[in-house]
Every structure is written in C-alpha cells, then in structure tokens.
Amino acid sequence: MTVNGGRRLTGAIRVSGAKNSVLKLIAAAILTPEACTIDNVPRIADVNLMLRVIEHLGAQTAFDEQGALRIDCSGMNPVDTPYNLVRQMRASISVMGPLLARFGRAKVAMPGGCNIGSRKINLHIKGLRELGVDFNFEHGYIEAKADRLKGADISLAFASVGATENIMMAAVAAEGVTRIENAAREPEIQDLAGFLRALGVPIRGEGTSTLEIEGRAELHGTHYRVIGDRVEAGTYIIAGAITGGDLTVEGIAPRHLGIVLDKLGEIGVNLDTSSESVRVRSSECVCTDVCTLPFPGFPTDLQPQLMVLLSLASGTSILTENVFESRFMFVDELNRMGCDIRIEGHHAIIRGVPGLSGAEVSAPDLRAGAALVLAGLAAEGTTEICDIYHIDRGYERMEEKLQGVGAAITRISTGK
Ligand code: UD1
C-alpha cells in the first residue's frame, strides 16, 4: 500500500460490521441445525477463514444478493479443525464451545495466534472443565469430550473475551444454569449474548461482569444484524484527528467507544457524537497517559493507532499496555518515520514530534498495520507499507474508504 501524506480527510466513512463479533456469531451458528442469517457481515479475510473452518466441519454458507450471510449447519460433522486453519486465525478455537454443546466433542488444533505475544487458552480450558468437559492434549491438538454438560459457577481469573465466549456457547447445552463471574463485558460479548438469545437461550447480565446462561435442549435459527466495528471506527476517528480534517464516522454506537472518545477529548480532539456517528474536526493535540484494559477500559486494539496520534501531540505521553505482552513490535517502524518512542517493559514513552516523514515500512500485525497507514496519512512524502495482508484480515476495503474522504492511498498488492 502506498500513502502520500498530508491530505486533510473530509466527508463520511461508514464502518463495517464488527470483526470480533461476527467471527463468534459464525461459530455460534453451529449450535443449531436450523439456518441462521447474519446481516452487516464485513468482507474481510478473517471472515473468509472462519467460513472455511465451519465449511470444513460440514456447514453450508453463502452470501445473498443483499450481502447477508446464510449459514446452514444441519449437516455438520464434528471432525478435526486442522492446524493449517487454526494457525492462521486464533479465533478458530471459538468453535470448541459450540461443537461441545451440539455434539459433546471437539478436536481443535492448538492455536498459534497473532504476533502480539503469547496468548494462552488456560481460562477456556478451566471454564469448560467446570462444565464437565474432559481434555486430552496430544500431537498439537486439543481433544475435548463431554457425555453430559452440567451448569456451574465459573470464576475467571482474568476477564478474557475468548474464554467468556467459549464458555457461554458451551453452557447453552448444559443442564441448569451457568454463572460466569468476572466475565468479559466487551460490546462483542453483548452481541453474542443477543445472538444466543435470538436462538432461544435464556441469558442475563451481558455487559456486566456476571453472566447467567440457562441450558436449552433445542435451539432454532435466526436472522441477526452484527454491531458496527468499534475498532475500525476508532481507527478512522484517529485518522481524522491526525490529518486535521472534518470527518464523520458512521455506523457505530458511540457508547461502544466511551473511554476512547473521553481520552481523545482530553487530548484536544474536537468531537461531536450522534446516536450512530462521530464527527471529528481539526484539533491541536496535547500529551496524556493511557493504559489499555478490558472493556470498558481503553481497548488494546486501538493502542497502536493512538500511539501515532500521541506522537504528533505536544509533550510526553505514557502508554501502558496491560492486555497483551509484546504489543509494541511496530514501534521501530514508527521511529523510522520520525516518531520518538521508547519502550520500557510494558510502557511506551512517547515524545511529541512536529511531523513525520514517509518511509518504507512493514506491517507486523493487523492493528499495527492500521497504525502505519495512519502515520503515512500524517507524514510528509510517500510511505510504502508491505505485508498488508495483515490489514485485510480486519479492515474491509480500507484504501477505498480512505480514498473516498480524500486520502492519497493506493493498493499495490496484498504482499502475501
Ligand atoms: C479478543 C479479540 C482481540 C482483542 C482481545 C482483547 C477476537 C477475535 N479478538 O482476543 O482483538 O485484542 O480480545 O480485547 O475477538 N489469556 C490467558 N488465558 C486464556 C485467555 C486469555 O492468559 O485462556 C490472556 C491472553 O494471553 C491475553 C489476555 O488474556 O494476554 C487477553 O486475551 P483475551 O481477552 O482472551 O483476548 P482474545 O479473545 O484472544
């Protein structure tokens, strides 16, 4: 991708459906033999991969002319979910919960994951064990079996998104009530709860740290619309702030961006919100300190993008990453573009600089790739970003959306 920086972004960008939600809704469609239809599905590489995972398990999937995704899991067979799929996308392990609920067994390759530090699955395993699942780990596979799932009180040591989701989906078929304490509260968890409710599952407490799920023997199909992507929205809001334009980002519930908008306001970004859009205008930014935390804290998935904005703010900021280890691997690339960032453990010390200069850089992962695009939009001269297949995992037609609001950005190839 080539970006010629220095253009003000003006106009409107519509965000797509939330990647981190739709991937789990696709997995949750396994729970019912009846067909499910999902609207607002982003056409991104991770969705294609998740569809390949469930098709491998026997699902039939198709997009209709309006772009809605139809999933039919009536002929499903819980065969192995192989490493060549799971290694490309860690979210593949979210088929484990629904396969256990529907068939009482699942065999899934142990995940690799993104380049953002070691990502464990101990909390998924612990929670599922408490529902009565037996595990066997051999030859790189997790083999899970349960003759009978039984509701339980499960307390998570950390509010893991993936573990909460896997446990929620398995609990759907457990006898009695499952209570998850210290459950993740992300909007994507709330969306999954909404989808499960639409399938016929009594579920309570989403958006709080205590979730209650009542098991049900039979579930029906549904038609459901996935929420807008808050990370994509946050990325474009920061793009607007960085380029000093007048940009409206549509298709998002601003309450899903609560602390992000608060922090941006504190930095000096000029924001107006309506029920489903955020307008961002030309701003003089000042330094601040930010820590990433599980929702409602500042999302780790917007940490790299915020780093670019803070690099262009006056003064020195400290950004602390609390959710993932080694999520600062893109900092060397930003420094090559003129940023002044020093890493100390899980803190980044960011000294504001007057401007950035375009360079050849490579995207080490999805969100860092987005941050490099933002840096390119602000930089003087040309930035060439390689390995943009990472960006395509989670952003639908990013270059087209940015071109539409005045950016000089061109796709050369996927770089894979
Ligand atoms: C999801 C999102 C990801 C986001 C993250 C945190 C998807 C597809 N991905 O990832 O974009 O950055 O939430 O908001 O939805 N952990 C354990 N043991 C476990 C599980 C997690 O120690 O069993 C640790 C991880 O190593 C990590 C932290 O908990 O350091 C957060 O992980 P988690 O909340 O589970 O994130 P994911 O579901 O993997």
Side-chain angles (χ1 to χ4, degrees):
M1 199 106 83
T2 299
V3 188
N4 282 306
R7 307 266 185 108
R8 295 174 69 237
L9 301 186
T10 50
I13 289 188
R14 176 155 285 274
V15 298
S16 305
K19 167 180 96 74
N20 287 351
S21 182
V22 76
L23 296 177
K24 320 309 165 57
L25 303 191
I26 294 172
I30 294 174
L31 290 165
T32 168
E34 293 185 14
C36 294
T37 302
I38 309 173
D39 284 326
N40 202 28
V41 175
R43 304 299 283 266
I44 50 175
D46 273 10
V47 163
N48 293 340
L49 244 159
M50 195 53 135
L51 293 178
R52 277 175 57 204
V53 170
I54 64 161
E55 283 164 5
H56 172 84
L57 295 165
Q60 294 197 329
T61 73
F63 283 96
D64 69 18
E65 307 85 64
Q66 282 77 43
L69 171 64
R70 189 172 187 279
I71 303 174
D72 178 349
C73 293
S74 55
M76 189 157 260
N77 181 12
V79 292
D80 304 1
T81 307
Y83 185 55
N84 71 356
L85 291 174
V86 180
R87 82 182 164 82
Q88 295 182 59
M89 188 182 61
R90 184 188 150 83
S92 315
I93 59 160
S94 35
V95 299
M96 197 155 64
L99 285 172
L100 281 163
R102 178 134 168 239
F103 302 102
R105 64 200 159 94
K107 187 172 174 188
V108 183
M110 298 271 270
C114 298
N115 303 330
I116 53 174
S118 92
R119 292 171 79 171
K120 301 185 215 91
I121 53 164
N122 56 317
L123 301 171
H124 299 237
I125 304 296
K126 178 183 173 285
L128 294 172
R129 270 201 177 116
E130 290 178 39
L131 293 177
V133 180
D134 284 326
F135 285 95
N136 195 13
F137 303 92
E138 255 175 15
H139 308 299
Y141 275 85
I142 307 165
E143 222 176 320
K145 278 201 184 103
D147 294 334
R148 187 167 145 252
L149 291 165
K150 205 164 172 342
D153 284 355
I154 297 166
S155 182
L156 294 176
F158 178 87
S160 152
V161 172
T164 302
E165 291 165 339
N166 246 330
I167 298 165
M168 280 164 84
M169 293 190 277
V172 156
E175 209 181 293
V177 176
T178 296
R179 186 172 300 107
I180 310 175
E181 295 288 357
N182 199 24
R185 290 183 275 170
E186 270 67 4
E188 294 76 21
I189 298 276
Q190 301 175 38
D191 212 23
L192 177 60
F195 185 77
L196 296 179
R197 188 174 294 118
L199 297 182
V201 182
I203 184 162
R204 291 176 290 277
E206 70 268 27
T208 75
S209 45
T210 307
L211 268 170
E212 278 187 359
I213 304 120
E214 265 179 52
R216 276 289 176 271
E218 278 179 24
L219 302 179
H220 49 75
T222 189
H223 194 140
Y224 194 84
R225 183 179 171 85
V226 65
I227 54 171
D229 195 309
R230 65 193 166 106
V231 181
E232 186 193 10
T235 304
Y236 293 134
I237 292 168
I238 294 175
I242 271 174
T243 59
D246 183 350
L247 188 67
T248 301
V249 177
E250 300 169 341
I252 183 69
R255 69 177 186 285
H256 294 164
L257 282 165
I259 201 164
V260 174
L261 300 181
D262 288 352
K263 270 289 163 191
L264 293 177
E266 192 181 307
I267 294 168
V269 178
N270 197 337
L271 297 165
D272 289 310
T273 56
S274 75
S275 60
E276 70 132 31
S277 71
V278 177
R279 180 175 177 195
V280 49
R281 269 172 298 169
S282 179
S283 338
E284 284 291 317
C285 293
V286 293
C287 55
T288 191
D289 294 342
V290 180
C291 299
T292 67
L293 282 170
F295 191 84
F298 193 93
T300 175
D301 287 351
L302 283 171
Q303 176 260 102
Q305 300 89 318
L306 182 71
M307 183 105 73
V308 179
L309 180 61
L310 292 177
S311 288
L312 290 163
S314 60
T316 300
S317 305
I318 299 178
L319 220 172
T320 302
E321 173 57 56
N322 287 320
V323 179
F324 289 110
E325 331 166 347
S326 35
R327 201 171 192 174
F328 286 139
M329 282 183 307
F330 57 100
V331 162
D332 289 342
E333 297 296 79
L334 285 182
N335 283 343
R336 292 183 50 246
M337 294 181 71
C339 291
D340 181 352
I341 305 167
R342 197 174 81 242
I343 302 302
E344 285 193 8
H346 63 128
H347 307 288
I349 297 129
I350 306 155
R351 289 206 172 83
V353 294
L356 303 180
S357 68
E360 279 175 52
V361 289
S362 92
D365 66 60
L366 166 60
R367 304 303 172 188
L372 292 171
V373 171
L374 297 186
L377 292 172
E380 174 265 312
T382 304
T383 297
E384 203 166 293
I385 303 154
C386 61
D387 294 340
I388 60 163
Y389 64 90
H390 287 297
I391 298 176
D392 291 334
R393 288 186 50 195
Y395 289 87
E396 184 174 36
R397 300 178 289 106
M398 184 190 237
E399 75 284 7
E400 285 178 35
K401 291 189 185 187
L402 287 170
Q403 282 160 4
V405 291
I409 178 168
T410 324
R411 172 181 293 264
I412 300 168
S413 76
T414 62
K416 195 161 185 177

